[in-house]
Amino acid sequence: MIGDAAHTAVDVRARLAALREHDLPTHGGRTLAYVYDSGRPQVDAVASEALAAFGGTNGLDPSAFPSVAQMERDVLAFAARLFDAPDDAAGTVTSGGTESCLLAVLAARDARADVTRPQIVAPTSVHAAFHKAAHLFGLDLVLVDVDMVTLRADPDAMAAALTDRTVLVVVSAPSYAHGVIDPVGPIAAAAAARGIRCHVDACIGGWVLPFLGDEGERSGRPEWTFAVPGVTSISADLHKYGYAPKGVSLLVHRSMSLRHTHYWATADWPGYGVVNSTLQSTKSGGPLAAAWATCAMLGADGYADLARQARAGTLAIARAISGNDGPGSDARGSDGLGSDARGTAGSRSGIPGLRVLAHPDSTLVAVATDDSCDPYTICDELLVRRWYAQPQLPFRGGPASLHLTISAATAPQVPAFLEALGDAVAAARAAGPVAVDPALARLLAGVDPAALDEATVALLLAAAGLGPDPSGGAGLALPARMAPIHALLAVCPPPLRAALLVAVVERL
Ligand SMILES: *Cc1c(COP(=O)(O)O)cnc(C)c1O
């Protein structure tokens, strides 16, 4: 359809609608990763209008499009209040969490021209965005093991890892994979004592945690905002719990001077003077306008409602999985849920075969299995029941798990989700864990990802059940059941996993 004769608007709309049919639903609360649904269609409608109305504006030059600069100031002022920022705080709106994290690293690196081989020190739970930043900007990423029980960063080990080459320390509020907040206070203090920046990656928690208050919980949640001495920057994604459409995040620095080093400018060419505050140059005002509209429609009270709903749903899920005595239980007081939501399937004894990896500090839950089944098969079984959960592979001695991101629209459906989860686990237990041929596993352990050739890749993909696309071409057909593929990836060392994932995505 693309690139041949022109088509009518009717045809194009029909084709676009048909394309969307194969995607995971972005709304309705049944997709528990990638998407965030406030459950407020009117807010979404106005955000979509804003996205369209400003889609053609260009944030490249705020003097040409003052509307973009104004919306950026407004959204950043809201964030500054949420993050307890001092008066001279300064921020930047970016295209997403990864870009916010990249800029925090870039600013830290370029503020320390005196360091020849700069390092980032971060817990092993840090988001992949920092691996990418280290790769792109030529820093060493020093990973420090998290506490094996709490899955939070270990403050003493983090402090011990700091060197004269460290230009940035990173902690999470919360970590994506396990949903726990790192002990920001002692880590930021250790960094500050050595004059090192400390970035709090609140990409996923930044627009939900400030609205939770303590809900009558003695939450045990570590503090993580600028109220904590030593925190120098915070990233938060408006396209996550800000409930804006995709393409908008922000990075806030404690002061304007800390931000300065990720600005880039040149006048050394015959065209316009270039000043870029982000990695982009031409930058659509659409996502920012949509975020501005979403913030304006919801207001602080609206976000507080949505945050409480998502949090209550999260605790209900954790409690139902663990039973009332497990680590996901909440013996710490009221969570604002009525007894109806509390009395969901299996709430006394938990769901056999499952356990919550860590008590959720925010609105994310990581769920592991015992030997009777595996998380990959549970994901497949959930998908059959029209629920999407995200598989997480075993890592550094930790088990494989299911990742659940709970947004406000999921909260009213928690009983239905728990019923589907119970059925999915029963089916996964009946099937047993997916087995990988031990000979293949031994072979994979010895494969050097740097030396992977086309033939070996094709062989490995075929072994994983990934055949060529029957419609021809170089493409790949993904099977309905992904568990055998995840089980195969799980026995590969992480660098080989990455190489195989690239091979798959390249062929899609
Ligand atoms: C989502 C996320 C990121 C990366 O954000 P993108 O918007 O996917 O680029 C970084 N850190 C954390 C903790 C996240 O949850």
Side-chain angles (χ1 to χ4, degrees):
M1 187 160 187
I2 294 292
D4 51 21
H7 294 265
T8 65
V10 173
D11 281 357
V12 171
R13 289 199 184 102
R15 181 66 189 133
L16 287 171
L19 283 169
R20 287 281 286 112
E21 274 170 22
H22 302 287
D23 291 350
L24 290 172
T26 56
H27 291 79
R30 298 177 76 99
T31 306
L32 302 177
Y34 305 118
V35 303
Y36 302 77
D37 182 6
S38 66
R40 308 265 183 107
Q42 231 220 310
V43 175
D44 292 339
V46 177
S48 297
E49 285 165 28
L51 187 65
F54 285 83
T57 61
N58 196 341
L60 166 64
D61 183 351
S63 71
F65 295 94
S67 62
V68 176
Q70 181 65 50
M71 291 185 296
E72 183 162 12
R73 284 194 297 273
D74 291 345
V75 169
L76 286 168
F78 189 9
R81 283 210 311 278
L82 297 179
F83 305 160
D84 306 312
D87 288 345
D88 64 333
T92 304
V93 169
T94 74
S95 64
T98 298
E99 191 179 32
S100 295
C101 297
L102 291 176
L103 292 174
V105 172
L106 187 62
R109 185 196 72 176
D110 286 1
R112 293 295 305 277
D114 56 310
V115 179
T116 37
R117 288 198 54 203
Q119 293 172 328
I120 306 166
V121 170
T124 49
S125 55
V126 78
H127 193 276
F130 292 92
H131 293 249
K132 184 172 184 172
H135 167 73
L136 289 176
F137 300 145
L139 293 88
D140 292 333
L141 178 60
V142 178
L143 293 174
V144 179
D145 276 316
V146 295
D147 182 283
M148 284 303 280
V149 176
T150 63
L151 303 179
R152 290 177 176 164
D154 173 345
D156 294 333
M158 290 284 288
L162 304 180
T163 72
D164 293 342
R165 288 167 48 206
T166 311
V167 299
L168 184 68
V169 175
V170 184
V171 283
S172 310
S175 62
Y176 181 85
H178 301 133
V180 295
I181 304 177
D182 290 324
V184 178
I187 294 171
R194 299 186 65 132
I196 298 168
R197 292 181 185 217
C198 177
H199 177 76
V200 176
D201 180 4
C203 277
I204 201 158
W207 227 258
V208 65
L209 293 169
F211 298 107
L212 285 178
D214 70 3
E215 330 165 283
E217 262 185 297
R218 280 191 293 112
S219 69
R221 265 200 296 277
E223 297 292 327
W224 56 273
T225 65
F226 289 109
V228 179
V231 169
T232 53
S233 57
I234 296 175
S235 52
D237 292 351
L238 287 160
H239 65 200
K240 288 181 180 159
Y241 285 98
Y243 294 110
K246 296 302 180 209
V248 57
S249 167
L250 39 84
L251 173 63
V252 182
H253 298 272
R254 186 180 280 278
S255 70
M256 183 121 100
S257 64
L258 289 165
R259 183 182 65 177
H260 184 71
T261 41
H262 72 65
Y263 273 62
W264 184 84
T266 188
D268 219 3
W269 74 306
Y272 54 88
V274 178
V275 181
N276 292 157
S277 60
T278 68
L279 300 177
Q280 293 182 301
S281 199
T282 281
K283 178 166 69 173
S284 172
L288 167 58
W292 189 95
T294 307
C295 288
M297 292 282 290
L298 286 169
D301 290 346
Y303 279 116
D305 280 347
L306 296 175
R308 277 193 294 268
Q309 286 173 39
R311 176 70 177 160
T314 303
L315 291 176
I317 289 171
R319 190 182 309 105
I321 288 170
S322 301
N324 287 348
D325 303 319
S329 74
D330 185 36
R332 310 177 207 205
S334 158
D335 50 43
L337 266 197
S339 54
D340 283 358
R342 221 183 287 275
T344 43
S347 65
R348 278 289 144 199
S349 54
I351 299 178
L354 295 190
R355 74 193 156 93
V356 168
L357 273 182
H359 179 75
D361 281 332
S362 183
T363 51
L364 316 176
V365 189
V367 185
T369 65
D370 62 17
D371 293 341
S372 67
C373 58
D374 65 54
Y376 325 123
T377 306
I378 297 172
C379 287
D380 284 346
E381 292 292 339
L382 279 171
L383 202 55
V384 170
R385 292 163 178 80
R386 294 189 304 113
W387 286 92
Y388 179 85
Q390 194 176 49
Q392 300 187 132
L393 297 178
F395 181 69
R396 291 222 185 199
S401 57
L402 287 156
H403 170 101
L404 309 175
T405 289
I406 290 90
S407 59
T410 301
Q413 308 188 60
V414 163
F417 171 68
L418 290 172
E419 196 181 319
L421 181 63
D423 292 349
V425 173
R429 280 157 68 93
V434 174
V436 175
D437 175 12
L440 182 60
R442 272 196 306 279
L443 184 96
L444 287 169
V447 173
D448 173 7
L452 268 185
D453 54 31
E454 273 296 308
T456 318
V457 168
L459 208 78
L460 290 174
L461 294 181
L466 284 163
D469 191 332
S471 63
L476 205 65
L478 288 182
R481 299 189 73 92
M482 294 292 285
I485 295 165
H486 291 123
L488 196 77
L489 287 171
V491 301
C492 298
L496 181 58
R497 290 177 190 172
L500 290 174
L501 288 170
V502 169
V504 170
V505 174
E506 275 181 333
R507 284 163 176 75
L508 282 181

